[in-house]
Amino acid sequence: MTITATPPRASVAPTRSQLTTGHLPTWAVWALVAGSLAVMLAVFGIIALGSGEGLNVAGWLVTSGIVYLVLIFTISAIVESRRKAVDRFITGLVASAFIVAMVPLVSVAWTVVSNGIARFDADFFSSSMRNVVGEGGGALHAIVGTVLITGMAALISIPIGLMAAIYLVEYGEGKRIGRGITFLVDVMTGIPSIVAGLFAYALFSLFLGPGARMGFMGSVALSVLMIPVVVRSTEEMLRLVPNELREASYALGVPKWLTIVKVVLPTSIAGITTGIMLSISRVIGETAPLLITAGFTNSMNYDLFDGRMQTLPVFTYTEYMNQGIPPEAYIDRAWAGALTLILIVMVLNLVARLVARVFSPKTGR
């Protein structure tokens, strides 16, 4: 039997064109964006001139985005590769979705600022609406009421939410009562705010009689909305703490309760604080439950347990719905109240970010 050796196959060095493909320069993407906008602007401009109507800005932007996606996919597939073309197409689609999501946010912010700046003066923050008819007046009573009611709601909700979350993660894991509490928290997260207001009103009506209105009732209604948010956010943050930290503490003989206080909570304090601030921001703009429980008034009231109390959401609603003469004064006060509420929420979110940065474990604090 004769065995013949097969000669080795000659290795062919790959050429440069086989290793690399074409690549679009960075400026080409922006050139396509500008070109799509310019071409569709010309098209919509001609249509507007022919119809005698104004430029359809929304249609211009949407069609420009579609034209850009088609162009970037086609050109990238020709110059680069189909895989890169798909990547550029998905990137453009995601960027377009982000822009679309930002449009209502920017629009709302611009509308509130442009309309509310007219009454954003010292008088607005230093006076109430007592004995004010027509122009003048301010929202000091509503600002004070918002701070007091929301602060009391936070004092009620934060301890309950924190302890409930600690029980679910550290003690009730896998137990039937823990699963039941988790289910109830999930259900409470989605209840309408008006239901919370009706619950607080019915609860206090049993003791004070029907028709009672006071700030503390509003705090209880808001706490019903806050507690599920605090529980869920705190629960998720506690679950992110590595079990190795708990086990190391137990190995040193530290009791479980002290491990939670000294190890688990400090490790997750940044996320917990962010969740608490977000829950406050979620309830501070509620109107329906406060209309039922706290009512509305034009006078200052610093007592949560006596008399009606005004809040910024209710102030904005009543000023816009009960317009007098001149109506512009009432509308300006409503927009100014909305702007003040947005600024308060923005400050709360900035405080949450600051606390998260300061107390984050990465900083060593």
Side-chain angles (χ1 to χ4, degrees):
M1 182 176 181
T2 305
I3 301 175
T4 58
T6 303
R9 184 175 299 176
S11 60
V12 179
T15 62
R16 183 176 179 84
S17 60
Q18 292 174 326
L19 293 176
T20 61
T21 58
H23 182 73
L24 290 176
T26 305
W27 59 264
V29 176
W30 297 107
L32 288 176
V33 173
S36 302
L37 291 172
V39 170
M40 297 313 300
L41 178 61
V43 172
F44 274 83
I46 294 173
I47 296 175
L49 290 176
S51 61
E53 299 178 354
L55 178 66
N56 187 351
V57 178
W60 165 51
L61 294 176
V62 171
T63 53
S64 298
I66 295 174
V67 170
Y68 165 75
L69 292 176
V70 173
L71 289 176
I72 193 65
F73 178 82
T74 305
I75 296 175
S76 178
I78 295 172
V79 177
E80 299 174 317
S81 64
R82 183 175 179 83
R83 184 176 183 179
K84 186 65 176 178
V86 174
D87 179 74
R88 289 188 180 275
F89 178 81
I90 297 300
T91 302
L93 197 63
V94 171
S96 301
F98 169 75
I99 294 173
V100 171
M102 289 296 296
V103 167
L105 175 62
V106 175
S107 178
V108 169
W110 174 257
T111 303
V112 174
V113 171
S114 60
N115 289 281
I117 201 68
R119 275 303 320 272
F120 217 65
D121 50 26
D123 189 38
F124 183 81
F125 295 98
S126 60
S127 61
S128 65
M129 289 298 297
R130 183 178 178 85
N131 299 326
V132 175
V133 178
E135 297 180 349
L140 179 61
H141 61 307
I143 296 173
V144 171
T146 297
V147 173
L148 292 177
I149 291 177
T150 308
M152 179 59 69
L155 289 178
I156 297 173
S157 305
I158 293 174
I160 296 176
L162 285 176
M163 289 187 286
I166 291 172
Y167 173 80
L168 292 175
V169 176
E170 304 293 338
Y171 297 96
E173 187 75 23
K175 296 182 180 179
R176 181 176 298 178
I177 187 173
R179 293 193 296 268
I181 294 174
T182 302
F183 174 76
L184 291 177
V185 169
D186 292 337
V187 172
M188 288 180 62
T189 304
I191 64 172
S193 58
I194 187 66
V195 176
L198 291 173
F199 163 76
Y201 177 79
L203 177 64
F204 281 87
S205 295
L206 296 175
F207 303 99
L208 304 178
R213 300 286 193 281
M214 59 181 176
F216 186 71
M217 292 174 61
S219 299
V220 172
L222 295 184
S223 66
V224 174
L225 301 174
M226 279 187 63
I227 289 175
V229 180
V230 176
V231 172
R232 294 301 295 169
S233 60
T234 305
E235 183 181 358
E236 294 301 324
M237 291 300 105
L238 293 179
R239 293 188 188 279
L240 292 178
V241 178
N243 284 329
E244 289 78 4
L245 296 178
R246 298 180 176 90
E247 293 171 357
S249 179
Y250 299 152
L252 295 174
V254 180
K256 188 170 186 176
W257 71 270
L258 193 58
T259 299
I260 296 172
V261 174
K262 294 294 185 179
V263 177
V264 177
L265 289 180
T267 304
S268 58
I269 189 64
I272 292 174
T273 304
T274 302
I276 290 173
M277 290 298 179
L278 291 178
S279 67
I280 295 175
S281 301
R282 181 247 189 270
V283 302
I284 198 172
E286 292 292 344
T287 305
L290 296 178
L291 273 172
I292 298 174
T293 55
F296 59 91
T297 178
N298 290 329
S299 303
M300 296 291 300
N301 183 10
Y302 298 96
D303 192 351
L304 284 168
F305 300 93
D306 183 22
R308 299 170 180 259
M309 184 172 286
Q310 184 78 293
T311 57
L312 275 172
V314 177
F315 171 81
T316 303
Y317 171 78
T318 54
E319 288 295 315
Y320 188 82
M321 293 302 297
N322 303 322
Q323 299 178 18
I325 300 175
E328 292 79 10
Y330 293 82
I331 296 176
D332 289 343
R333 284 195 294 263
W335 282 114
L339 179 57
T340 304
L341 192 60
I342 289 178
L343 291 177
I344 292 176
V345 173
M346 184 180 68
V347 169
L348 289 176
N349 282 274
L350 291 176
V351 170
R353 289 179 177 273
L354 179 62
V355 172
R357 181 184 295 272
V358 171
F359 291 97
S360 176
K362 295 180 180 179
T363 61
R365 296 294 296 271

